[in-house]
Structure formats: structure tokens, C-alpha cells
Amino acid sequence: MLLQTPAAIGALRLKNRVVMAPMGTNYSTSDGLSTARDKAYYAERARGGVAMIMTEAMVVTEQARPHLNSLCCYHDRFIPGLASLVESIKEHDCHVFAQLNHRGGLLRRSVLNMEPVGPSPWINPNTGDAVRALAVPEIHEIQRLFVAAARRLALAGYDGVEIHAANGYLFQQFFTRRINQRTDEYGGSIQNRMRFLLETLDRVKQAVPDLCLVVRLSASEFAPDGYTEEEIVSLAQAVERAGVAAIDLSGGSNESPQLSKYCIQPPSFPRGCMAPYAKPIKDAVSIPVMVAGRIVEPQDAEAVLASGSADFISVGRALYADPHWCLKAFGAVKSPIRQCIACNVCFERLTLEKDVVCVQNPMLGTEFEALEYAEPRFFAAPHTPRRRVLVLGAGVAGVEAARVARGRGHEVEVWEKSDRTGGQIHLAVAAPDKTEVQPVWDYRWSELAAMGVPVRTGVDADAARLRAFAPDYVVIATGAVPRSAPLDTSKLDARIPVLHAWDVFRNPSIIAPGAALTIVGGGMVGVELADLLREKRCDVQVLEMLPTAANGMARNNKFELLERLAAAGTRVLTDCRIDGIEGAHLRVRIGTAEPKLLPVGTALVFATGPRPDRNALGLVEASGIPHALVGDCNVPGDFLSGLRDAWMVGLVIDTLPAGQSSEAPDVPRPTTAAARKVSGATA
């Protein structure tokens, strides 16, 4: 396996080819200090087997903070916390680099009132903020700040520093002629547009010669007027001549959703999508090259390495989803990898100034994502009485609760009322590009099978069955059902069927190819249904009462989907209220305009959300058995909220009063010597 072979970056020997990409968390204090949460997050990924960690982008000046709770290194007071963070990473035979960045024109006035600055006057497309051009003395001051920050990082024990010159930030703004309109020594020719970065590298190397230097570049801007392949190859060769030890390749620019999708790719992008753009750069330099871009499974990384496009793989969101990615990839932990599904909730949370979370890993950023909690079946059960647990519902949340509870040593059985397991996962994967969501189910189902948890379908729980099973605890995970139509449809033309979005996802054939129809509800479900019908060449209009559509979807994914719908002629009408139905027409008001009639088409489909299915709650309450609702039957939401419910309820069972225990079943133990070594578990 190429991925597992050692290799070097400068004088550093890395134990494998996996580098953790620098990704924000918002886990620090509001004034930029490292916290215990930072340490636990990074230490678990070091324990998980990566060879090197790039900690998240740190700013070099208080005037350039990107997020409310981002790590900082612009003052000596940050050194002790960073030193402690570095120590927690190095305890696990893992090198650690820090990324230094200045967002320049992408600074946001709405976040700590940061002033956007850049090579030339410009408008930040994301915010509409005016960008002020830097004077030459200010450029030199920023270079001094990079040097001072690098010194602090060396004192904190970092092995190296990555200068962020990609993804639309300040150094890239200077390099691309579409933004840099200067006529002095920092603009015009390619040599001048490189100057800011190359001078900064030289100053850092002179000041901290023992610190290993890496530069991150965007292999392409993916903009029609962006820099050319020839230009980025020239820049890569120039930074090699400047003495950097490696080049780290990403793509795109975070200046707009249209370009940001090449940095933080939606699920429609192929695995290893940046490899073809990295190859010409890799061929043009002799130093190691890292590349990111939709690396989800080990075979994705292997394919990139085998293609000769890179020497190291920069794994990003996949390590949010599973900090133990390497241990599983290399066989030290015999459990499937929890795969990133590219939902981009993580990135969206950062954009909204919230702490990072992950749909696949709802315990991200907590002590409960440690291997002992994430994969409890490899560890001795805690010293608490074992309980007999019944889970009602074999959807994603129910199976997750069963996985955690059984892994903790409890006796677990799952009952499913229907004849099919999976709950809403079958709806979630029905839309185009949503097959990437399937691992949310596959990982958990395979774990349940490995532990031998009985799952019984076609079981309608009643009082007699409940008494016969005699559980100590019941997890109710019965999901949700479609909500009734939110308006009176009695006056609708009788020839027009009224459907729910779930009906169409379950059986798309009920809509004929090329049919004209109306979807009421332009949230995530409504627009994804429109995307499914786009493939059937249907004439679709989507009506949404809010000012924007696809709310709740991460913006990179949302904008790409809405662009795709617009290109196909799908009409998404926002700020649209339905006043009534008149035969084959809807009477609507769009914004403040006068009411008008819209033809419904051949079907009226509602995508207006579900309601909790709590039919089993009364039965369980009457039994007096301790219980909890998890997932959509608790509060309809997304996989993140449902899985978080389920995981934590699985742990709660350990705390039940001793009198409610049952005989202990056989407790799973670590199945391999490697797993025992990793976990510290005892056989």
C-alpha cells in the first residue's frame, strides 16, 4: 500500500503519506487562545495514525482574524497554549506544522470588524465589502508579521510552517492578475506578482532557518480570467527555488460559492478531483507535492499516488468524519471508516461563526469521539450492570443507538415495524449525487452485523411482546411520517393527484418523463426532488414562501444545485405565498406583487416537512420502562441531530440504577493485537 510507506519532507521522516489538512474548528477562545477542546481534537487525530497534522490557519495580526474563535499566533501570549497543543500531537509519533494566513480582501467587516485589504481596490463578492489597496510599507509590515509568527511557532515546538498562498487569500490575490492591478514592483509581470510571496518566504527562512517551510497553492483558480497552468507551474518552480520543502495543492477561491466549491467540493465532484490539476505541477518540481480534494477512502488516496500526481495526500473533511481513518485504512482497527459524505455542514458552520460539527461524527469536538466511545466493541465494557435494551425502529438513529449500546456491553435487540430496514436513508439517497450519503447507513449497519445484534422486521410492538421481551430500557426511534398538506386541496381539479415528496422519492415512476408539475416547499427536500425530476426532463416549478430556497443546505452544495436547476429551466419562486386553489391553478402572491394564477401541471407535490411518529410512545410509557426518544420521532431534523441523540442515549444506558440491570451478555473484546495496542484495552 503506497499510502502506508514512509517518506520525507525536508529533513522530516513521515511514517506514512497521510497529512491532515488545515481545517478550521472555532474551538479556541474568543481571543485566540488554544483550549483543551483544541488539544483533544488534534490529539485524537494524531492518535488515529496520520503522519503529520497541519493545524488550522492562524493569523499573523489581530487585524486579520477570520473567525470569532480561531487560533492565533500574533503575540507571545499564544506560545504556551500552542506548545501544549504541539506536545499533545507529538505524543503520538506525529509531526505538526502550522498554517499561517492572511485573508486580505476576504476579511469580513461582519466578523470583528476586520478591514478587507488587498493588492488593488476590489469588491469582495461574498460580502460586497470594498477592499482597500495596501501601500508598500504595509506589505513590508505584513511580511514582518509573518516572520514574527513563524518565530513563535518555532518556540512552541512546531516542526514547520505552511504559508497559505491559495484559496483566494492575500498571496493568491497578489498573484492573480484578475485582482492585482498594481503598476509598482508588486504588480504587472508574473515576477512582480510573485514578489510578495517570495520575499516573505525568504524573510522567514533567514529568520528561522531550521523551520521546515511548505507553501499551499491553488492548482487552478477555476475562473475564466484566472491565472494559467503555465503561470502556476512557474510559481511552483519559484517557491522551490526559494527553498521550500514541499508544495501543498488545493484549488479554487473562497471569494464566492461559484469558486469555493473547488476548495470545499460538493458530492457531485469526483473522488481525487484535484489530481489532474496537480500532475503538471508535480512533474515540474523535484520537491514533494501534497494534494487535497475529495479523498474519502484509502483507495482514493492510493489512486492519486499511483497516478504520480502527488507524494502525500492531504486528507481534510474525512478526518472530521473519522479521526481514526489511518488506523482503519492500515488495518490496526478492524472497523469500517466513517466516510465523509460531502454535505459540507462543517464548512457551513464555520461560515456562520459556529463551532465545527460533522454529520457522520456527531461527537466531533467532544471527549466522546475518542476511539473508546467511537468503536466501543473493541474495548472491555465499563464496570456497570449490563442491561437488556430494546430499540424500536431500524432507521439510522435506531441502528446507531443499538451500535453504541451493544458496543458498551448491553444486550440489544432491534424491532422494525416495516419489512425493510433503513428508515429514511432510502429517501436520502434517491436524488442525484446523493449516493454519497449511503455510508451514513452502511457503516452503522455493518457494525451492527459484526456484533451480531438481532434485527427483527415486520414486528408491530404491543404490550404482550414488550412484557415477553422484558427490557430494562427502550429506545424509541420510530422516525417521522409526512405532514399533511398545509392548505385545503378540496378545490383542486380532481384529475391532478396530490403527492408528498416522499412518495416520488420512493417511486419516481409515478411522475411521467417530461411532465409539468408544481412542488410546494423549496427547502432541501423540495429542491432535491426538483433535481431528480430534472433528470426526467420534467417541467417543474418550486414554490417557497421564504426569501431563499434550499435553506439548511451548505452553501457550496446549495449554489451548485440551484445553478443546475436554473440551467435546466426549473423555476424556483421564492417569497411566494399560496392564497388558494382554483381548479388546475394556484392563486399565489410573489413578494408584494398582486395575486396571480399559476398552472399546477399534472401533479401537485408537497415538500413541507414531516411530523414525529410517536405511535409507540404511549405503549412504552404505560409499561413504566425507562425510555428515550431519538431521531425524528423526538424532533424532526437531519442525520446530525438524530445520530447525536442516538449516540448519547446509547451511553446513557450505562448510568441506569443498578436495580434495573439484567444478566450480562458476553462482552466484545478487542479483536486484534493491533487494536489492543492502539486502544489500551485489556483482553
Side-chain angles (χ1 to χ4, degrees):
M1 194 178 197
L2 292 172
L3 197 61
Q4 201 171 0
T5 57
I9 293 178
L12 299 174
R13 183 184 181 276
L14 276 62
K15 61 187 178 186
N16 59 54
R17 305 297 181 102
V18 183
V19 174
M20 177 179 166
M23 302 177 293
T25 61
N26 259 341
Y27 291 165
S28 308
T29 66
S30 58
D31 55 354
L33 290 168
S34 177
T35 64
R37 195 178 186 193
D38 284 315
K39 285 178 61 177
Y41 162 78
Y42 282 113
E44 197 62 38
R45 281 147 185 83
R47 178 191 182 192
V50 298
M52 184 170 83
I53 286 176
M54 291 271 191
T55 57
E56 64 198 71
M58 285 187 267
V59 296
V60 299
T61 169
E62 191 174 12
Q63 280 70 50
R65 292 194 62 186
H67 295 294
L68 292 171
N69 294 86
S70 54
L71 277 175
C72 295
C73 62
Y74 58 79
H75 189 277
D76 286 356
R77 69 174 178 269
F78 299 112
I79 295 173
L82 293 173
S84 180
L85 176 63
V86 167
E87 183 181 6
S88 71
I89 293 171
K90 289 191 173 183
E91 284 177 359
H92 300 284
D93 186 25
C94 181
H95 291 293
V96 56
F97 276 50
Q99 189 185 71
L100 290 178
N101 189 26
H102 193 302
R103 294 171 70 100
L106 300 194
L107 289 167
R108 295 174 289 162
R109 295 187 187 279
S110 62
V111 180
L112 302 179
N113 198 30
M114 299 291 103
E115 181 190 25
V117 294
S120 305
W122 186 49
I123 298 295
N124 181 336
N126 262 337
T127 64
D129 287 341
V131 178
R132 178 179 64 80
L134 290 164
V136 170
E138 291 178 301
I139 293 172
H140 294 163
E141 172 63 11
I142 289 172
Q143 291 173 329
R144 186 193 69 76
L145 293 170
F146 269 89
V147 170
R151 281 200 182 103
R152 293 184 191 106
L153 294 169
L155 289 171
Y158 277 89
D159 296 306
V161 165
E162 176 173 270
I163 303 297
H164 199 343
N167 303 141
Y169 299 132
L170 186 59
F171 288 113
Q172 183 168 319
Q173 291 161 24
F174 268 80
F175 182 62
T176 179
R177 64 172 73 246
R178 69 187 177 88
I179 297 174
N180 186 346
Q181 304 296 316
R182 299 177 76 100
T183 57
D184 62 7
E185 66 268 35
Y186 291 99
S189 69
I190 188 171
Q191 288 76 21
N192 284 354
R193 287 182 281 121
M194 293 179 186
R195 190 181 306 278
F196 182 25
L197 174 59
L198 296 179
E199 285 181 351
T200 304
L201 293 172
D202 183 62
R203 293 183 182 195
V204 171
K205 281 194 68 64
Q206 288 187 36
V208 200
D210 295 332
L211 199 62
C212 190
L213 270 185
V214 173
V215 172
R216 171 165 267 206
L217 303 174
S218 280
S220 172
E221 289 185 275
F222 297 98
D225 51 350
Y227 48 70
T228 65
E229 180 184 295
E230 182 182 7
E231 287 178 314
I232 192 62
V233 165
S234 295
L235 179 59
Q237 292 172 326
V239 300
E240 178 181 16
R241 291 193 296 271
V244 304
I247 294 171
D248 183 8
L249 294 175
S250 179
S253 168
N254 281 319
E255 69 199 59
S256 69
Q258 290 76 17
L259 297 180
S260 181
K261 66 186 178 185
Y262 297 101
C263 311
I264 315 291
Q265 301 89 9
S268 58
F269 278 51
R271 305 282 182 90
C273 58
M274 289 306 304
Y277 303 94
K279 187 68 163 63
I281 298 169
K282 164 66 180 163
D283 289 344
V285 298
S286 59
I287 54 176
V289 168
M290 313 173 201
V291 70
R294 291 282 282 131
I295 306 297
V296 180
E297 299 177 89
Q299 52 263 43
D300 305 328
E302 284 289 301
V304 173
L305 293 174
S307 72
S309 299
D311 303 282
F312 293 88
I313 303 299
S314 184
V315 179
R317 291 168 292 172
L319 286 168
Y320 280 150
D322 198 331
H324 313 108
W325 193 92
C326 283
L327 291 178
K328 294 177 178 181
F330 302 150
V333 173
K334 304 294 186 182
S335 180
I337 289 170
R338 288 194 306 276
Q339 294 178 24
C340 168
I341 62 173
C343 63
N344 286 330
V345 168
C346 52
F347 181 59
E348 187 70 6
R349 294 272 298 194
L350 282 176
T351 305
L352 297 173
E353 290 305 322
K354 298 179 180 180
D355 57 342
V356 155
V357 298
C358 176
V359 167
Q360 271 282 57
N361 179 14
M363 295 301 109
L364 176 67
T366 76
E367 66 271 33
F368 296 111
E369 76 159 349
L371 188 60
E372 291 83 354
Y373 294 103
E375 304 292 348
R377 69 185 176 99
F378 296 118
F379 294 80
H383 296 293
T384 57
R386 303 301 87 211
R387 279 89 184 187
R388 188 169 171 83
V389 180
L390 175 63
V391 179
L392 298 179
V396 171
V399 166
E400 178 71 342
R403 179 188 76 88
V404 176
R406 179 64 183 125
R408 301 285 286 180
H410 302 292
E411 181 182 358
V412 181
E413 187 163 302
V414 182
W415 294 356
E416 169 57 45
K417 183 177 181 179
S418 74
D419 59 0
R420 187 184 192 189
T421 62
Q424 291 183 44
I425 191 67
H426 310 294
L427 306 175
V429 301
D433 301 321
K434 293 302 292 291
T435 54
E436 292 291 307
V437 176
Q438 185 67 38
V440 170
W441 170 258
D442 289 348
Y443 162 75
R444 291 165 175 88
W445 184 248
S446 64
E447 287 287 272
L448 220 60
M451 291 187 284
V453 174
V455 180
R456 310 197 188 284
T457 58
V459 177
D460 195 356
D462 57 27
R465 284 194 175 99
L466 199 60
R467 283 194 304 270
F469 187 77
D472 298 309
Y473 196 83
V474 178
V475 178
I476 305 172
T478 46
V481 293
R483 191 180 297 277
S484 300
L487 69 155
D488 181 6
T489 60
S490 62
K491 295 182 180 179
L492 181 67
D493 187 320
R495 294 169 296 179
I496 300 174
V498 176
L499 304 170
H500 191 276
W502 289 12
D503 300 325
V504 185
F505 278 129
R506 287 191 182 106
N507 183 16
S509 65
I510 63 176
I511 302 294
L517 69 152
T518 298
I519 298 173
V520 177
M524 187 185 307
V525 172
V527 296
E528 287 186 345
L529 179 60
D531 198 31
L532 175 67
L533 296 173
R534 171 191 60 82
E535 293 194 332
K536 293 168 68 77
R537 303 182 307 282
C538 291
D539 180 11
V540 180
Q541 60 184 0
V542 181
L543 311 185
E544 170 56 49
M545 66 183 297
L546 295 176
T548 56
N551 294 299
M553 182 179 284
R555 65 198 60 196
N556 283 12
N557 302 28
K558 168 181 174 176
F559 277 89
E560 190 207 27
L561 174 53
L562 292 177
E563 287 172 356
R564 198 159 65 218
L565 292 177
T570 301
R571 300 172 301 286
V572 180
L573 307 179
T574 55
D575 203 9
C576 178
R577 295 182 179 274
I578 302 173
D579 286 343
I581 299 177
E582 299 180 11
H585 293 79
L586 299 176
R587 188 172 65 255
V588 304
R589 286 180 292 119
I590 300 175
T592 58
E594 291 296 313
K596 66 177 184 177
L597 294 178
L598 289 178
V600 174
T602 59
L604 181 61
V605 184
F606 286 93
T608 48
R611 61 175 177 82
D613 179 358
R614 295 183 177 174
N615 289 339
L617 179 59
L619 169 71
V620 178
E621 285 179 332
S623 73
I625 301 169
H627 60 275
L629 295 160
V630 303
D632 282 353
C633 71
N634 180 28
V635 177
D638 54 15
F639 284 132
L640 172 64
S641 59
L643 287 169
R644 184 175 278 170
D645 273 1
W647 191 323
M648 294 308 291
V649 165
L651 297 177
V652 161
I653 297 166
D654 293 344
T655 67
L656 287 178
Q660 293 169 351
S661 66
S662 60
E663 291 300 316
D666 292 334
V667 175
R669 294 294 192 265
T671 56
T672 67
R676 287 193 291 272
K677 181 179 179 182
V678 167
S679 67
T682 56

